[in-house]
Amino acid sequence: MSDRLRKYLHRFFGFLTIFFLVLLCYQWVSGQPATSWFKTAPKKVFTQKPGTYSKKQRQEIADAVSKEDQKGLGINKQGYVAMPKLSILMPIYDNAYSKAALDKGANTSQAKGAAVPVMGQGNYTLAAHNWDNGYTGFSALQEKLKQNMPYEDSSGNFGTSSWLNGEYVYLANRNGIYRYKIVGQSTCDQDDGRVLGPDERIDNKAKLTIVTCLFPDTTKRIITSAEYKDYSPWETAKSSEVMLFDLKKQKTNVLP
């Protein structure tokens, strides 16, 4: 074998080895939780340290959170949703059946014709896009990107996940901040409206139901359930929680 051919084969197999290593690395990264440091480090929403907020500043934040800004689309502002663990911060509107509304943020997803749910009462149902990137919309609610597991196995059987159990979801409107604690995730078909039932409860307590698509099987939905814990008016809410909704400092994660 000539030296020239030997060098060519050496380079070829070297490039081939690097290619497969990169491919394996990509597959490993894709399968990691959305909260892995290398996925979230450059994408943090809540970067500000909490300070103290005066009564006037708290009122300004409350006004900003509830300000109507999409009347031209025929949708009404309900407030904001924040999940610090996942760097989620989005406005909430009232029509999950409108593509235009879903492009603006999260939306209440009550059954058609039903009353818009009320924060802190009954079954508060929310929906937003899963952009399959672990960051924007409700994408970060999926435990592992580009994998149906653990929500659906290879045979199509539904599964559950507890990876977010104990994490808090905060809702805010003009009145104050509502706290919910995640108790689990489940799976349903895209047309299964039972999870939107206004009478759904967790241990007879009000609950929060968050709906988003599963990827790659987009015919299924990830259902994140959280139980209602308590509420604080803006005047007495913790500064660390008020900070979550300080829209002068924080960035939303609505669209890619």
Side-chain angles (χ1 to χ4, degrees):
M1 182 183 297
S2 67
D3 289 342
R4 185 176 180 181
L5 180 59
R6 187 178 295 107
K7 289 180 180 179
Y8 173 80
L9 291 174
H10 178 74
R11 289 176 181 175
F12 173 76
F13 285 112
F15 285 129
L16 193 63
T17 300
I18 293 173
F19 171 78
F20 280 112
L21 287 175
V22 170
L23 181 62
L24 289 173
C25 183
Y26 172 78
Q27 291 177 333
W28 181 82
V29 168
S30 297
Q32 297 308 299
T35 50
S36 297
W37 70 267
F38 46 81
K39 290 182 178 179
T40 60
K43 301 176 179 178
K44 288 292 185 183
V45 172
F46 304 106
T47 58
Q48 303 293 327
K49 294 182 179 180
T52 56
Y53 289 91
S54 66
K55 182 177 180 180
K56 179 181 178 182
Q57 290 173 318
R58 289 167 181 259
Q59 185 59 55
E60 289 174 347
I61 292 173
D63 291 341
V65 161
S66 57
K67 180 181 179 181
E68 293 288 359
D69 53 15
Q70 301 298 333
K71 279 295 189 179
L73 293 177
I75 54 177
N76 302 297
K77 174 75 75 61
Q78 301 299 302
Y80 269 76
V81 55
M83 298 179 65
K85 170 76 172 182
L86 302 178
S87 286
I88 289 174
L89 177 64
M90 288 191 290
I92 300 172
Y93 299 100
D94 65 353
N95 190 351
Y97 301 98
S98 164
K99 181 182 182 302
L102 284 173
D103 285 344
K104 297 298 181 181
N107 279 258
T108 54
S109 55
Q110 65 276 9
K112 290 185 177 180
V116 175
V118 178
M119 293 180 185
Q121 300 180 25
N123 181 21
Y124 195 82
T125 49
L126 283 181
H129 287 305
N130 178 352
W131 293 102
D132 192 29
N133 60 14
Y135 174 59
T136 45
F138 279 152
S139 302
L141 289 171
Q142 183 162 336
E143 182 174 351
K144 295 183 178 181
L145 300 183
K146 306 182 188 306
Q147 292 189 33
N148 291 325
M149 288 287 288
Y151 308 103
E152 180 185 24
D153 65 21
S154 58
S155 300
N157 300 310
F158 290 164
T160 60
S161 175
S162 60
W163 81 293
L164 291 175
N165 284 15
E167 296 297 332
Y168 276 83
V169 184
Y170 300 90
L171 305 182
N173 60 17
R174 182 177 295 278
N175 299 322
I177 298 175
Y178 304 77
R179 303 173 190 86
Y180 292 81
K181 192 174 185 179
I182 296 176
V183 297
Q185 290 183 311
S186 57
T187 317
C188 72
D189 288 313
Q190 60 183 347
D191 298 321
D192 189 345
R194 289 175 295 179
V195 296
L196 306 180
D199 296 325
E200 288 289 310
R201 299 289 188 276
I202 296 177
D203 295 332
N204 294 318
K205 297 178 181 179
K207 67 176 293 191
L208 169 66
T209 301
I210 299 177
V211 182
T212 195
C213 291
L214 173 66
F215 272 92
D217 186 355
T218 57
T219 67
K220 304 300 186 296
R221 298 291 181 264
I222 299 172
I223 308 300
T224 303
S225 299
E227 66 176 2
Y228 174 67
K229 303 304 290 185
D230 54 24
Y231 154 84
S232 293
W234 289 105
E235 293 82 0
T236 60
K238 296 178 181 177
S239 293
S240 59
E241 295 174 352
V242 174
M243 176 205 66
L244 300 176
F245 301 99
D246 186 347
L247 303 179
K248 292 182 179 179
K249 297 180 179 179
Q250 312 298 0
K251 296 179 181 180
T252 61
N253 68 311
V254 176
L255 296 173

